[in-house]
Amino acid sequence: MQAAPVRATPIPSFTDALRAVESLLMSSGQRTARQNAWTSVLEDRRRAKDRVEAQRVLEQALAARP
């Protein structure tokens, strides 16, 4: 009995396939704009998290005052 042949390249993931389709459909400028927009979303989320943490620290400090 022979073993099944081994693939030289791995099967691309669904995400890789979507990125390949995206690169075919979108110009590089649109792709860059989309990446920049997503980076902005992530940065906004980080700032919001930091703001909530700072508010919590301030409230604890005010509560500890005599």
Side-chain angles (χ1 to χ4, degrees):
M1 178 185 254
Q2 286 186 328
V6 178
R7 290 179 74 84
T9 57
I11 298 173
S13 69
F14 184 71
T15 303
D16 292 338
L18 285 178
R19 284 193 178 126
V21 170
E22 175 190 55
S23 68
L24 291 172
L25 297 177
M26 298 177 82
S27 71
S28 63
Q30 289 173 323
R31 193 167 42 252
T32 300
R34 186 176 150 272
Q35 289 170 344
N36 289 344
W38 182 244
T39 300
S40 294
V41 167
L42 295 177
E43 183 65 20
D44 287 346
R45 288 178 182 175
R46 187 195 61 77
R47 280 196 303 265
K49 182 180 171 188
D50 290 347
R51 213 172 19 253
V52 168
E53 178 65 17
Q55 182 68 31
R56 186 185 65 77
V57 169
L58 285 173
E59 288 172 355
Q60 284 181 344
L62 288 174
R65 291 179 69 186

